[in-house]
Amino acid sequence: LVEAFNRTDGRRLWEYRIDAVGPLETVHDKANLAAPSPVTDGQLVYAWFGTGQVVALDMSGKLVWQRHLGQEISPFNINWGHSSSPTLFQDTLILLCDHAPASYLLAVDKKSGKDKWKTDRGKGRQSYTTPFVVQASSGPELVVNSSERVDAYDPRNGAFLWHVGGTNQFPIPAPTFSNGVIYMTRGYRSGPYMAVRPGGRGDVSSTHVVWQVATGAPYISSLVYDGGLLYMASDVGAISVIEAETGKRLWQERVNGLFSASPVASPPASAAAVPGG
């Protein structure tokens, strides 16, 4: 089910229903088969489901095109269920499918759904994260956080560019990018987090890693960058602030509750609205 609501008053504007086709895989208690977030370019809305079905709808909720990657290419089979969301890049929709039967990146024309390129990534990889496009001096790069390592590809043609980091069983967080540096966590059991400069080739562990901290990263939630600082909210209820330039932890505080969602940052409405501002 895909639904659209008026953001002013909450009225439902339209809904589109699609029958699930194929086996319904077991998912984590915190997830379901609609875990991927829909994305839009303002003309079409793209929604992807845990069966491998993907639909493109116009802004009135009418179907433009649909695909079923679980039937066309390989069954969608990943522990805890598929959760990677579609990534938009120029006129392309990029889909990451790191599953047990097959691991690949697929790029389709966003208007027609027809294949543009496909890059095989080998069997047995797992990834729950969404590919992230950054702009390097040498061109755009698509960053993928997976169980094997972190990889970067050219989003224009799927060509492999560079890799960094070792294995991490369940990568979930997505990277963030600011001032020419990629900040990312590997997830799973307080794993490592790091800062990497794009633009490398091959193994960039000794050439483009700005800093790396071996442990302490959130399992599920992504980092947020604001004003030279990185904010992290862990699944055990620890809030941390990291100096983005060095990776040094400035402070950490434990609060009530557990966190799965990613933090967001917002500037004050105006200086006048800030007490004492």
Side-chain angles (χ1 to χ4, degrees):
L1 178 68
V2 184
E3 295 178 286
F5 298 87
N6 186 306
R7 65 182 181 181
T8 301
D9 58 20
R11 289 181 298 108
R12 181 185 286 107
L13 300 176
W14 53 260
E15 66 176 33
Y16 180 83
R17 291 180 176 270
I18 179 173
D19 291 333
V21 177
L24 303 181
E25 298 292 336
T26 302
V27 299
H28 193 276
D29 289 344
K30 292 183 178 181
N32 57 48
L33 291 173
S37 299
V39 297
T40 181
D41 58 2
Q43 297 180 357
L44 297 179
V45 176
Y46 306 92
W48 201 11
F49 298 92
T51 56
Q53 293 166 266
V54 55
V55 296
L57 310 172
D58 67 17
M59 301 309 286
S60 64
K62 295 180 180 178
L63 181 67
V64 176
W65 57 262
Q66 62 181 329
R67 300 275 303 264
H68 194 327
L69 305 185
Q71 291 186 336
E72 296 176 30
I73 300 176
S74 180
F76 268 39
N77 183 351
I78 181 172
N79 190 29
W80 297 343
H82 177 84
S83 65
S84 179
S85 302
T87 296
L88 279 167
F89 172 73
Q90 297 177 355
D91 61 353
T92 303
L93 188 74
I94 301 174
L95 305 165
L96 172 65
C97 307
D98 272 10
H99 293 178
S103 300
Y104 60 90
L105 279 163
L106 178 67
V108 303
D109 182 274
K110 68 178 186 179
K111 293 182 179 180
S112 67
K114 294 181 179 179
D115 290 2
K116 298 189 71 172
W117 55 259
K118 179 175 177 289
T119 297
D120 291 325
R121 289 172 40 79
K123 292 184 178 180
R125 295 196 183 201
Q126 293 187 101
S127 182
Y128 304 86
T129 190
T130 298
F132 190 83
V133 177
V134 303
Q135 185 64 43
S137 58
S138 54
E141 298 183 352
L142 180 77
V143 182
V144 177
N145 189 5
S146 80
S147 57
E148 184 75 14
R149 61 193 187 188
V150 177
D151 294 301
Y153 298 85
D154 189 329
R156 297 168 295 190
N157 53 31
F160 174 76
L161 299 176
W162 55 263
H163 69 86
V164 70
T167 59
N168 196 285
Q169 192 171 4
F170 300 114
I172 298 173
T176 189
F177 183 69
S178 183
N179 298 324
V181 178
I182 303 165
Y183 302 98
M184 71 184 78
T185 83
R186 299 287 279 123
Y188 191 57
R189 294 189 176 179
S190 193
Y193 55 101
M194 66 187 74
V196 181
R197 292 192 309 273
R201 294 295 182 268
D203 186 348
V204 300
S205 301
S206 61
T207 58
H208 285 68
V209 176
V210 180
W211 52 258
Q212 179 170 324
V213 178
T215 188
Y219 179 9
I220 298 175
S221 66
S222 302
L223 306 176
V224 63
Y225 176 97
D226 183 62
L229 301 175
L230 297 168
Y231 296 86
M232 304 191 302
S234 78
D235 54 307
V236 297
I239 307 298
S240 303
V241 175
I242 309 299
E243 187 176 59
E245 185 178 357
T246 65
K248 178 183 177 181
R249 187 172 69 190
L250 301 180
W251 61 261
Q252 184 179 68
E253 182 175 344
R254 190 172 294 275
V255 297
N256 293 329
L258 307 178
F259 292 90
S260 297
S262 301
V264 296
S266 175
S270 68
V274 180

